[in-house]
Every structure is written in C-alpha cells, then in structure tokens.
Amino acid sequence: MAIVHRLLRSAAAAFSPAAAAARRGLSALAAEQTLERNVQWVFLGCPGVGKGTYASRLSQLVGVPHIATGDLVREELASSGPLSQQLAEIVNQGKLVSDEIIMDLLSKRLERGETKGESGFILDGFPRTVGQAEILEGVTEIDLVVNLKLREDVLLEKCLGRRTCSQCGGNFNIASINVDEGNGKPGMYMPPLLPPANCMSKLIIRADDTEEVVKKRLDIYNELSRPVEEFYRKRGKLLEFDLPGGIPESWPKLLQALNIEDHEDKQCAVA
Ligand code: AMP
C-alpha cells in the first residue's frame, strides 16, 4: 500500500503527459509489491445509486477499508482548512474537484491507513474520470470494478431523500420508492431507511443533494464518469450489477454476483 499512496502523491505533483508515461512505467513495480495483498476493488455508479452503502457493507465483510473520495472532500470542507472555501464552491455546484486535490486527499488517506496497518481497499467515487483511472492503473492493480446501476428517476428520488444525522453520522433515506416498470416487468420497491427516534431532530441534507445540483451531477457523471465504465469493460474488470430493489433484496444478490458468502468468516471473498 505504501507504494500506492506515494505514487498517487507524486501523480498529484506531476500532471504532464511525460509524467503520465513515467507513471505507467511504474505499474509493473507496483504490481510486484501487491502480489500478496487484500482485494483492491472499485465501485462505480451514478450519484445516489448506493455505492457508499454497499461498499461499506462489503468492506466490513472482506476486511478492507472503504475509502470514499466524496467523504474525504466533505471532511476537508468541514475542517475549514485553506481549501475549504474553494471546495465548497465546486462541490455545491455539483462539479468535480481537480485531479490534483483528489489525488492529494486520497494519498493522505492511504498513508493514514497504512500507519494503522490497513491493506487493500474498496474505492467509492474514485476514479471518476478516465484520467484518474489511468493514474490509478499506473500505480496499482485493480482486481474488480463493480458498476451499480439504477434508473435515473429513482436516482434523483434517492438523492433527494438522503439524510445524515449530524451527531452520530448515520446515513438514512426517507424516500419510499415504488416504481411500476410496465410491460409485465417486475416493479421496484425500495422502502425508506428511517432514522431512529433520537436522530430525528438532528438530520441534515447534503448541500449538493438539491434537485438542481443532483441533475447537474448526473450530467457530469454521464459526460466524464460513464467513459470510466468502458475503460474497465475493455480490461475485462467490470461487473455490471442492476440493483433489483432495496438493501434486503439487493445485498444477497450482490454477494452472489461477487461469489462471496455472508457468514462470520471475514476471509471468504473470492477476488
Ligand atoms: P460523492 O459523495 O462521491 O457524490 O462526492 C461529492 C463531491 O465530491 C462530488 O460531487 C465532487 O465534487 C467531489 N468528488 C468526489 N470524488 C471525486 C473525484 N474522484 N474527482 C473529482 N471530484 C470528486
């Protein structure tokens, strides 16, 4: 893992075509370092699809950290550090933060994890552009990329229903989704994930979960992140997963698709 964060950091400092070629040359070295290691997975999918929910559950099961670049950005925003004003403007408009800032936040997160003995990861929200995917490919091997999919109207409803408890940090969703697919296809039901009574009065809504900003984020996903799916599809690493409904329905099917058994043994992942 050390090599990953060091190389990501040097990637943050060196954004030029020549540097990109040099980074690619380092991939063999990085692969050598990761022959015996925990899984390195990526979760792709539109805003609101549930990357955080499923990546976080899987990370506990597989025993690797769940690293969401959106969380790293929000932590930086909350810290009121030198970057926070600049980041707030970008994030609240639904735009992407620069590769340089994201690489810096991610490499620092990996470094902190390394000092705690972490190895492997499930990345959520990164890579979000083909450029980021190329940088990642230049520094380490990704074993599997899970592409979570849901209809766009459902994504919007889910984003608008998202709530976080400002005290315990718990994530909830008040949207009750009941979609009739028509044409004899099975409908989709996603019950709300309601907070416990003691969180009710402390719920907050993300500043970028307004209808206008969510639509903008979906447009940006289609323009800049959709090509990342093709990037990994071409490499034979993309696992497409259409969410069939809420967590109770989707979780067992996702585990089945990943060939993972959900029992007490944390080492049951087949990468
Ligand atoms: P998320 O929680 O993944 O929806 O991310 C929230 C916001 O953080 C995004 O709308 C972007 O502004 C920023 N962000 C997160 N990950 C990245 C990334 N890999 N590249 C650029 N911006 C990002």
Side-chain angles (χ1 to χ4, degrees):
M1 185 97 96
I3 188 122
V4 180
H5 74 67
R6 275 204 298 275
L7 293 178
L8 280 174
R9 179 159 290 184
S10 61
F15 268 76
S16 70
R23 282 198 299 277
R24 276 192 285 276
L26 290 167
S27 63
L29 173 64
E32 254 173 49
Q33 307 264 329
T34 54
L35 274 180
E36 283 191 16
R37 54 157 173 74
N38 283 334
V39 299
Q40 299 191 161
W41 290 348
V42 164
F43 265 62
L44 294 182
C46 288
V49 75
K51 297 186 294 296
T53 304
Y54 294 103
S56 150
R57 285 182 160 229
L58 266 179
S59 78
Q60 286 167 32
L61 200 60
V62 177
V64 298
H66 162 220
I67 301 178
T69 45
D71 289 345
L72 302 180
V73 168
R74 281 183 287 279
E75 275 166 29
E76 187 66 32
L77 273 173
S79 74
S80 308
L83 280 179
S84 57
Q85 179 63 33
Q86 188 193 342
L87 284 179
E89 275 172 32
I90 299 169
V91 174
N92 294 344
Q93 290 179 59
K95 294 181 182 165
L96 293 189
V97 171
S98 74
D99 286 353
E100 192 174 357
I101 292 176
I102 286 293
M103 297 302 161
D104 189 48
L105 293 175
L106 182 56
S107 57
K108 282 181 184 153
R109 167 63 186 82
L110 289 168
E111 209 171 320
R112 285 198 300 277
E114 192 199 351
T115 59
K116 290 192 278 175
E118 283 179 359
S119 94
F121 49 71
I122 299 181
L123 292 179
D124 152 8
F126 182 93
R128 236 177 172 102
T129 61
V130 169
Q132 291 180 2
E134 284 171 346
I135 291 169
L136 188 61
E137 185 176 59
V139 298
T140 195
E141 173 92 16
I142 294 301
D143 310 313
L144 181 72
V145 178
V146 182
N147 188 25
L148 296 183
K149 297 197 286 192
L150 261 181
R151 286 165 43 150
E152 208 154 285
D153 54 341
V154 174
L155 291 170
L156 181 62
E157 257 193 90
K158 280 193 71 204
C159 283
L160 299 183
R162 263 201 300 225
R163 300 289 183 273
T164 303
C165 174
S166 56
Q167 193 166 45
C168 73
N171 290 311
F172 309 100
N173 204 307
I174 60 165
S176 176
I177 293 165
N178 203 344
V179 181
D180 184 6
E181 291 276 352
N183 296 333
K185 287 189 193 163
M188 179 183 286
Y189 176 57
M190 291 184 170
L193 185 59
L194 295 174
N198 52 334
C199 295
M200 264 318 181
S201 60
K202 300 158 201 139
L203 296 183
I204 49 170
I205 303 177
R206 270 171 56 168
D208 57 349
D209 272 345
T210 64
E211 182 163 353
E212 189 193 349
V213 180
V214 172
K215 284 184 173 162
K216 172 87 185 159
R217 286 160 61 207
L218 287 170
D219 287 347
I220 289 185
Y221 185 88
N222 286 324
E223 185 194 345
L224 298 173
S225 307
R226 195 72 73 189
V228 179
E229 298 174 6
E230 187 54 25
F231 179 92
Y232 287 116
R233 191 175 291 119
K234 276 196 201 143
R235 285 153 176 78
K237 299 199 168 180
L238 196 71
L239 175 79
E240 306 272 15
F241 188 78
D242 282 293
L243 287 156
I247 299 172
E249 214 180 333
S250 302
W251 176 239
K253 293 204 169 112
L254 179 62
L255 293 182
Q256 204 177 16
L258 289 167
N259 206 9
I260 295 176
E261 283 176 49
D262 188 3
H263 54 69
E264 292 304 305
D265 180 3
K266 294 204 170 202
Q267 299 302 319
C268 55
V270 181

